[in-house]
Every structure is written in C-alpha cells, then in structure tokens.
C-alpha cells in the first residue's frame, strides 16, 4: 500500500474518522484523492477531539463577579482634556506609530452578498464599495497627518483571492499599494454532530475561519507582528470590515490609551435599549470583558446608575486599539473557542453531495473580546452612534445597508 495512504489509514482508524477513506474511495479522480490525503495528513486530531468535546458541553456561564466598567465619554471631555489627548495621539500618528488592521475574514452570511463583504456596494450615488469607504478614511488621515499609515487586511482562505483581486482591479482605491498588506486568518475543521470531519463538495476537508479572535495568532504566524516591528509600529487599530462610519485613525483614542497607560482601548456606544442584542463591556472578576446579550439577566440589563443611565450600557462596536505589546501577549495564549451550529454541505460516505436545509455542523470560533481578560485594564471611550457606528450586518431591517447608508449620508452631509 502506498505510504501516504497507509499513514492516513492508521491516523483515521486511530481517531474514529474511518469514513474519510470511504469518501476518498468514491472521489472521481486521482488528483482529488491525493488532495484529500494531503488534507487529512495536516489534521491535528488531538485538537479535533478537543473541539468535539467543547461541542458536547452546554454553554457554561461561569459564576463570575460582573461589575460595570468605567468609561470616558468623548463628548463630555473638557477642552483641556480633549486637546491633551489629541496632541499626544497626533504625535504618535505623525511619528508613524499607528497601523490599521481590518478584519475581513468573516463569511457575511446574514448580509447574503455573494462576494467578500468589503466588496459590497453600499448603494450610494458614487457606488462606493465598503472597501472604498474604508480606504477613504485612510486617505484622509494620510492627508491630515502627512504620514503613510500601514494597512493590514485580514482575509480568509475562502475570500482572500477575491479580496486581493478587488483591490488590484480598483487600483487600491488610490492608497499606496505598498502600504497595504493582506494576510490570511487561520481555519479550523467543521465537525458533524457526531464529531466526524466533513469533506466539502470539492473533495477537500471542510474548514472554516477561526473567528475574529483568531487575529492574534494569525498576526503572529503570518509574520505581521514582525512586519509591524520592522516599521516601528507600536499601536494597531483593529476593527471589523463592516462599519462604514469607522474612524480608525483617531488621535483621541490613542492619546487616551497613552495617558491612561493601558495596553488596549475600545470604543463603545450607548445601548439603544436595555434589551438590544449586543454585547456590553463590563468587568468580570476584576478583568475587562464583554457580557453577551445571551448571558445578561433581565435585571442586570435594565439596571440604572446614579445618573439614570444603563449600568451595563456600553455596547461593543468592534473598534479596538491594541498596543503591539498586547498583541504579542495575546498571540501567545489560546483564546477559548465558541461554537456555532451551521448549515454545511458535504460529501457523504457513499460519495453523494448532501445540501442540508437545517444546520448540521459545528463551526468553532475565537472571539476578539476574550483577549481583554488577558490584559489587566483597558480604556473604554464612549462615542456617538451617529458619528462612528454604522454596521452592515443584515440584508434588511436593523444594521442593514439601508440603515448604514442613511447614517453614512447624514454624517457626511452634516
Ligand atoms: P461578524 O461576527 O459580524 O461576522 O464579524 P460576519 O462574518 O461579518 O457576518 P455573519 O455573522 O456571517 O453574518 C464581525 C467582523 O469580524 C470579521 C468580519 O469580517 C467582520 O468584520 N470576522 C469574523 C473575521 O475577520 N473572521 C472571522 O472568522 C469572523
């Protein structure tokens, strides 16, 4: 028996994944069969078993002490404070210490756009895509501060080629090409409900991006931390791809972090209403954290502080500033994986393609906000929704292209 096949047979039998060889035998051509063998040989079966164990445990809400987190309201800063933060931040930016990282590896399933989310046309008269809107912010900052700001774009295995082609086809939207670096995020196998690895329609192992929390390891493994160091970068704004009012180059956020001597900072907006389905910043056992809407009790969600404001009202906007030191620190830790149950088409053991109409497979994702617990403290800067937060998440209704377009136009026309 050919050596490779022998190794695969041993590994799959030892780990209860023998069905993979049945599928291998059904694949139509030799090239596909070899690709599948190669995929199987790269599998970390120990990790697969651990992931499957996670899927069997009910979500555990640890009995932790949750407390509100303190924040700074950008609109309530005194003139002196504002100028102080601004001057410190501007100096850092002008000294070339800030990079921007955009997380564009998500699948954008809710939006339902066929390409990478950044290629979505927001429906403005200019027909700008989300990527072009993000580039505009960097072009503006470049003009304002007279410095090239390195931009790192995290893609995924699925959307990397299309994303890079989109930028090339549009001549990088006028931003210097050598300031833009693409890197791919990590991936993890998807598993059936009985812990079996799946094979996709192309005969390859079914894998999915490892969540936005995978960014820290990807920055390390893909050489981006090294690249940032070589460019003397000390801070990186890390944000999602889908906020068309994002302000990635923000001297106030930078100045606040430096002045408060923290390794990371985030921007929050006030929760629209107590039961809005968003995660809010809090302290968990004394460490900065996010409490998800599925975790928060009704009482806690409605609790008011002495000013009559929600005690847990600082919603997560996925606008984060991390010092390079913090990125390095987090990249050395394994963030926990959270589970999502998704529809995943696959080839069954008879070689037939199955397209399920209901979720059938586990996807594993790390969340960026789990990184905060590793840091002792973070600064939270409350900003205004109408100035800084217009997410494109759903095809219709809340957080849709329609709501984001309106917020974008209102802001830019004001
Ligand atoms: P979301 O959690 O909103 O996911 O990601 P999504 O993929 O955009 O959309 P749905 O849930 O499938 O509809 C928030 C941000 O994190 C990025 C996304 O691209 C988005 O900018 N992200 C998410 C990644 O870069 N990688 C991931 O694995 C997940």
């Amino acid at each position: 028996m050919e050596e490779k096949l022998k190794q695969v047979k041993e590994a799959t039998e030892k780990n209860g994944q023998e069905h993979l060889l049945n599928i291998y035998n059904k694949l139509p051509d030799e090239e596909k069969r070899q690709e599948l063998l190669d995929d199987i040989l790269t599998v970390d079966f120990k990790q697969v078993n651990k992931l499957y164990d996670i899927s069997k445990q009910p979500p555990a809400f640890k009995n932790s002490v949750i407390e509100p987190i303190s924040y700074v309201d950008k609109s309530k800063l005194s003139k002196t404070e504002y100028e102080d933060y601004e001057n410190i931040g501007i100096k850092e930016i002008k000294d070339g210490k800030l990079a921007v990282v955009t997380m564009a590896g998500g699948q954008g399933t809710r939006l339902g756009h066929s390409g990478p989310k950044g290629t979505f046309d927001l429906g403005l008269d200019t027909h700008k895509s989300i990527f072009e809107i993000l580039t505009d912010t960097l072009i503006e900052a470049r003009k304002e501060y007279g410095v090239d700001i390195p931009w790192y774009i995290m893609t995924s295995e699925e959307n990397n080629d299309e994303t890079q082609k989109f930028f090339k086809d549009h001549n990088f939207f006028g931003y210097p090409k050598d300031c833009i670096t693409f890197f791919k995020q990590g991936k993890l196998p998807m598993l059936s409900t009985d812990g079996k690895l799946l094979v996709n329609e192309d005969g390859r192992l079914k894998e999915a991006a490892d969540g936005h929390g995978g960014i820290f390891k990807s920055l390390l493994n893909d050489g981006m931390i090294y690249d940032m160091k070589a460019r003397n970068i000390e801070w990186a704004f890390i944000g999602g791809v889908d906020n068309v009012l994002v302000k990635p180059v923000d001297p106030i956020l930078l100045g606040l972090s430096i002045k408060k001597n923290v390794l990371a900072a985030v921007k929050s907006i006030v929760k629209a209403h107590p039961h809005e389905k968003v995660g809010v910043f809090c302290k968990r056992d004394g460490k900065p954290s996010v409490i998800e809407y599925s975790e928060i009790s009704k009482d806690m969600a409605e609790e008011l502080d002495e000013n009559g404001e929600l005690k847990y009202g600082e919603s997560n906007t996925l606008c984060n500033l991390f010092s390079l030191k913090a990125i390095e620190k987090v990249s050395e830790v394994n963030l926990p994986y959270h589970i999502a149950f998704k529809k995943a088409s696959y080839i069954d053991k008879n070689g037939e393609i199955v397209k399920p109409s209901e979720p059938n497979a586990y996807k594993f994702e790390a969340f960026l906000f789990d990184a905060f617990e590793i840091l002792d403290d973070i600064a939270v800067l409350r900003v205004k929704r109408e100035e800084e937060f217009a997410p494109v998440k759903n095809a219709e209704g809340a957080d849709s292209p329609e709501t984001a377009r309106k917020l974008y136009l209102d802001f830019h026309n004001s």
Side-chain angles (χ1 to χ4, degrees), residues 58-334:
F61 297 138
K62 272 191 293 169
N63 255 345
S64 22
V65 179
I66 306 285
E67 291 162 298
I69 197 162
S70 55
Y71 62 88
V72 170
D73 189 333
K74 193 175 183 177
S75 68
K76 292 195 179 140
L77 289 174
S78 69
K79 192 166 176 282
T80 328
E81 280 172 324
Y82 193 95
E83 284 174 1
D84 193 17
Y85 295 152
E86 191 175 39
N87 289 336
I88 298 173
I90 290 177
K91 180 164 185 324
E92 288 291 291
I93 298 167
K94 287 193 169 170
D95 285 348
K97 304 277 188 222
L98 178 73
V100 171
V101 183
T102 297
M103 300 184 291
Q107 290 179 307
T109 34
R110 286 169 287 171
L111 180 64
H113 169 55
S114 60
K117 208 189 243 185
T119 66
F120 184 77
D121 175 346
L122 189 63
L124 303 168
D125 291 344
T126 53
H127 287 288
K128 283 187 182 186
S129 61
I130 297 182
F131 277 137
E132 182 166 6
I133 291 170
L134 300 187
T135 316
D136 286 347
T137 65
L138 289 166
I139 290 178
E140 219 173 275
R142 188 169 178 251
K143 266 195 221 136
E144 188 159 350
Y145 304 112
V147 64
D148 287 341
I149 296 165
W151 187 14
Y152 299 86
I153 301 176
M154 182 172 83
T155 62
S156 62
E157 188 65 47
E158 290 104 313
N159 72 18
N160 178 64
D161 293 352
E162 213 179 325
T163 302
Q164 292 210 34
K165 183 172 183 307
F166 192 75
F167 271 85
K168 274 194 204 111
D169 289 350
H170 292 88
N171 205 15
F172 298 85
F173 302 104
Y175 202 64
K177 190 169 123 197
D178 54 355
C179 291
I180 303 184
T181 309
F182 297 91
F183 68 104
K184 274 196 246 175
Q185 75 173 103
K187 39 194 186 146
L188 287 169
M190 290 184 77
L191 296 180
S192 69
T193 49
D194 52 355
K196 302 292 177 212
L197 289 160
L198 299 170
V199 175
N200 69 20
E201 293 109 310
D202 294 328
R204 308 296 301 259
L205 274 190
K206 183 115 193 161
E207 294 175 308
D210 60 357
H212 42 60
I215 187 159
F216 302 98
K217 287 236 183 285
S218 302
L219 284 169
L220 176 73
N221 297 339
D222 297 350
M224 298 304 119
I225 294 184
Y226 174 82
D227 189 82
M228 286 182 191
K229 280 188 177 165
R231 296 182 196 234
N232 288 323
I233 297 297
E234 289 183 11
W235 295 91
F237 175 90
I238 304 184
V241 71
D242 47 19
N243 175 10
V244 294
L245 279 185
V246 69
K247 196 165 187 280
V249 184
D250 184 350
I252 303 295
L253 189 68
L254 202 45
L256 175 76
S257 311
I258 293 169
K259 194 83 199 215
K260 289 209 173 278
N261 197 20
V262 289
L263 291 179
V266 294
K267 290 190 188 182
S268 67
I269 53 161
V270 179
K271 222 178 182 186
H273 56 86
H275 301 291
E276 192 188 5
K277 290 188 169 177
V278 289
V280 288
F281 294 106
C282 67
K283 285 242 165 165
R284 193 186 291 263
D285 296 330
K287 300 275 187 172
S289 181
V290 166
I291 181 160
E292 292 192 81
Y293 67 84
S294 51
E295 260 183 299
I296 196 164
S297 68
K298 183 173 177 293
D299 286 351
M300 215 183 220
E302 294 172 357
E303 211 175 332
L304 301 179
D305 64 14
E306 60 281 5
N307 302 319
E309 291 197 73
L310 290 176
K311 222 169 175 177
Y312 298 94
E314 301 310 306
S315 324
N316 184 7
T317 60
L318 205 58
C319 290
N320 313 276
L321 180 73
F322 281 89
S323 62
L324 202 54
K325 273 191 208 138
I327 294 176
E328 280 193 284
K329 191 169 175 180
V330 179
S331 71
E332 284 158 13
V333 175
N334 293 323

